[in-house]
Amino acid sequence: MNRTPLIAGNWKMFKTGDEAVATAERLAELSRDVENTEIMIAPTFLSLPLVADAVKGTKIKTGAQNLFYENQGAYTGEVSGEMIKAAGAQYVIIGHSERRQYFMETDDSVNKKIKAAIEADLIPVLCIGETKTQRDEEKAFFILDKQLKDGLKGFHSDELKNLIIAYEPVWAIGTGLTATPDQVNEIHQFIRSVIRTIFEASFSDAVRILYGGSVKPDNVSGLMKLKDVDGALVGGASLDADTFIKIVKFN
Ligand code: PGA
């Protein structure tokens, strides 16, 4: 199955508008010769329209790091899918472990957010992953199965045509610890097999599964060689364009 790799940068709560635009412009310049790999960066909400504007007509696509599931209304501090789309973004990250950990996101809110993303014509990047304790207690497969089944509950595969899944073991995020290729391979195969039980085989073969958690220029090629790894969701190493481009050009 030929799945186009996607290398995505999650800038989290870093960079002012000016800094974000400068990094995006540098990345656009460095990625001019990139073929057959999609590139996405997710700046903060405030920087998103500026960055989307700065990368128009280049190889770079943009995404938001979160959205709220209502379209508009009295929800102080929230941003809707429609607003993200209007800002020029194509993607939205949903259910990142930091959202689950610090902002009480649940599989249920993740499910609603995926629906809202689809309605706004945004590509959802569904993040799943087990914590260190869950892995130590041998509950990783159970947790991932639940996150997938509850997060994707009630959808028809047609609605999720562009869905992207990001497997990010929580213990590997920002810690410098990367899951070994064997661990990643095992989990990615498992994720694809769960997707096959929810939707049809052709959908499960086509869905792109990214790995995230301390991806760096020196470990990306080993990860990208794995059959079921279709890209990377990169935090820390995406903040600097000259570093991130080495991940984008993983071959
Ligand atoms: P990291 O973050 O690359 O800094 O580990 C990954 C992520 O949170 O998406």
Side-chain angles (χ1 to χ4, degrees), residues 10 12 96 98 168 172-174 213-215 233-236:
N10 172 10
K12 308 193 179 184
H96 189 279
E98 286 150 17
E168 300 204 302
I173 295 178
S214 297
V215 176
L233 182 53
V234 186

Side-chain angles (χ1 to χ4, degrees), residues 147-199:
Q147 289 175 339
L148 285 169
K149 288 190 176 144
D150 290 357
L152 298 174
K153 198 166 51 199
F155 292 106
H156 190 273
S157 57
D158 282 353
E159 296 172 282
L160 295 171
K161 267 197 306 283
N162 296 317
L163 173 76
I164 290 165
I165 296 169
Y167 168 58
E168 300 204 302
V170 179
W171 47 272
I173 295 178
T175 57
L177 297 170
T178 330
T180 64
D182 281 351
Q183 285 170 327
V184 175
N185 212 22
E186 185 186 27
I187 300 276
H188 279 230
Q189 278 174 6
F190 173 74
I191 292 169
R192 221 176 277 288
S193 74
V194 174
I195 297 295
R196 198 170 299 130
T197 68
I198 315 176
F199 304 113

Side-chain angles (χ1 to χ4, degrees), residues 123-140:
I123 300 172
V125 181
L126 164 62
C127 299
I128 57 171
E130 82 284 3
T131 62
K132 171 96 174 61
T133 316
Q134 288 162 343
R135 175 165 279 262
D136 291 347
E137 291 173 353
E138 296 185 0
K139 289 188 186 140

